[in-house]
Amino acid sequence: MSGGLDFTGKVAVVTGAASGIGRATVRAFARQGAKVVAADRDAGVHEVISEFEGVLAIEIDAAEENDVRRLVDIACDQFGGLDIFYANAGISGGTAGILDADVTLWMEVLRVNLIGPALAIKYAAPRIVARGGGAILCTASVAGLRSGAGGTPYSASKAGLINLVQTAAQQLATSGVRVNAICPGLIETGMTQRAFDYARQQGKEEKLGQLNPLRRAGRPEEIAEVALFLASDAASYVNGQAIAVDGGLSSSFPVTRQIYGKPAF
């Protein structure tokens, strides 16, 4: 897909860029000619920039207001403006259920997964407007679409993020800024690596992704391709949407987790 997209002259910020989807997206934007600021609180973000010119690495907390403000300022100061912000940073919070998750876990998951993207929109949108318009993207999840694909705090945070994207798209009407969410299914990233490693150790790698019609897990690069499309002029009429990229998983969630009584399956 990306072969037909040209981001020459565009400036993009990607958070959660040290690994997984963020790392793949930084590389994809850079290959298509964009100037990119790769941001992560993991020092490994500096490794991402080694193969490309015009890519800057910044260590920040993507849910800390001063850090997000500084990140946007750096992008504009270094590259002359901002066209695209991809709020990709997130945490899983584990698999805690509604009766198990404590307030500390809830607060941290919501801080990173929901408040972080809200700050990205708050500080990126005015700068993108100043450039004549562009795109804000957020990584949500199929877990935010309906039950059965993640822990309770994580799922709730991603559902909130989808609504945030819809609300922001409406409030930014006529600004030239489009806001969309990507909802990945099972993708091999730092967040899911333990599950992938365990399956391989048990000789059950073929079971990864078996619940979706494609019968496989996804790759970070497949999410990056969708990010490039949504950030491009080719998606000029796509706004306020939550795009599932999950091999068809969200067409039917066949998982029920019960606390009381017999499991449904």
Side-chain angles (χ1 to χ4, degrees):
M1 183 193 297
S2 61
L5 302 178
D6 183 6
F7 288 89
T8 302
K10 301 294 185 180
V11 179
V13 169
V14 180
T15 65
S19 63
I21 293 168
R23 187 182 189 119
T25 306
V26 168
R27 289 172 168 169
F29 274 127
R31 288 192 188 103
Q32 300 306 316
K35 303 294 185 183
V36 188
V37 179
D40 203 298
R41 61 184 178 183
D42 187 330
V45 70
H46 295 285
E47 299 173 6
V48 181
I49 71 173
S50 59
E51 60 188 287
F52 297 105
E53 295 182 2
V55 180
L56 180 66
I58 304 291
E59 290 182 49
I60 63 136
D61 182 337
E64 174 60 44
E65 185 164 17
N66 288 335
D67 279 8
V68 177
R69 183 192 295 114
R70 181 168 63 91
L71 173 61
V72 172
D73 286 345
I74 288 172
C76 293
D77 292 345
Q78 291 291 318
F79 297 128
L82 181 62
D83 302 285
I84 301 153
F85 195 114
Y86 185 11
N88 167 70
I91 59 175
S92 74
T95 58
I98 192 68
L99 301 185
D100 307 314
D102 60 27
V103 171
T104 301
L105 176 62
W106 272 101
M107 294 293 286
E108 182 61 8
V109 172
L110 291 172
R111 185 185 79 87
V112 177
N113 292 358
L114 184 54
I115 295 176
L119 292 171
I121 295 168
K122 176 180 179 179
Y123 288 104
R127 300 300 189 96
I128 296 173
V129 170
R131 291 272 279 189
I136 297 175
L137 311 176
C138 299
T139 297
S141 170
V142 292
L145 296 174
R146 55 183 68 90
S147 174
T152 305
Y154 178 81
S155 299
S157 72
K158 295 302 187 178
L161 179 53
I162 291 169
N163 185 270
L164 173 67
V165 163
Q166 295 167 340
T167 302
Q170 290 293 326
Q171 293 189 10
L172 292 170
T174 74
S175 70
V177 180
R178 296 179 296 104
V179 189
N180 290 292
I182 301 173
C183 299
L186 181 61
I187 310 295
E188 185 169 7
T189 68
M191 188 182 297
T192 61
Q193 197 61 55
R194 188 174 299 177
F196 277 80
D197 290 345
Y198 178 79
R200 287 167 181 147
Q201 290 168 6
Q202 299 299 311
K204 297 180 179 179
E205 186 175 0
E206 75 282 354
K207 293 185 177 297
L208 292 166
Q210 66 179 338
L211 296 179
N212 73 60
L214 292 184
R215 298 293 194 269
R216 67 171 177 86
R219 303 185 307 277
E221 292 76 14
E222 291 176 302
I223 306 301
E225 289 287 340
V226 177
L228 260 64
F229 167 70
L230 290 174
S232 75
D233 291 340
S236 59
Y237 203 52
V238 182
N239 194 21
Q241 301 303 307
I243 309 296
V245 188
D246 63 356
L249 175 65
S250 58
S251 63
S252 173
F253 280 153
V255 176
T256 297
R257 177 180 178 182
Q258 289 188 221
I259 299 173
Y260 301 108
K262 294 181 179 180
F265 296 92

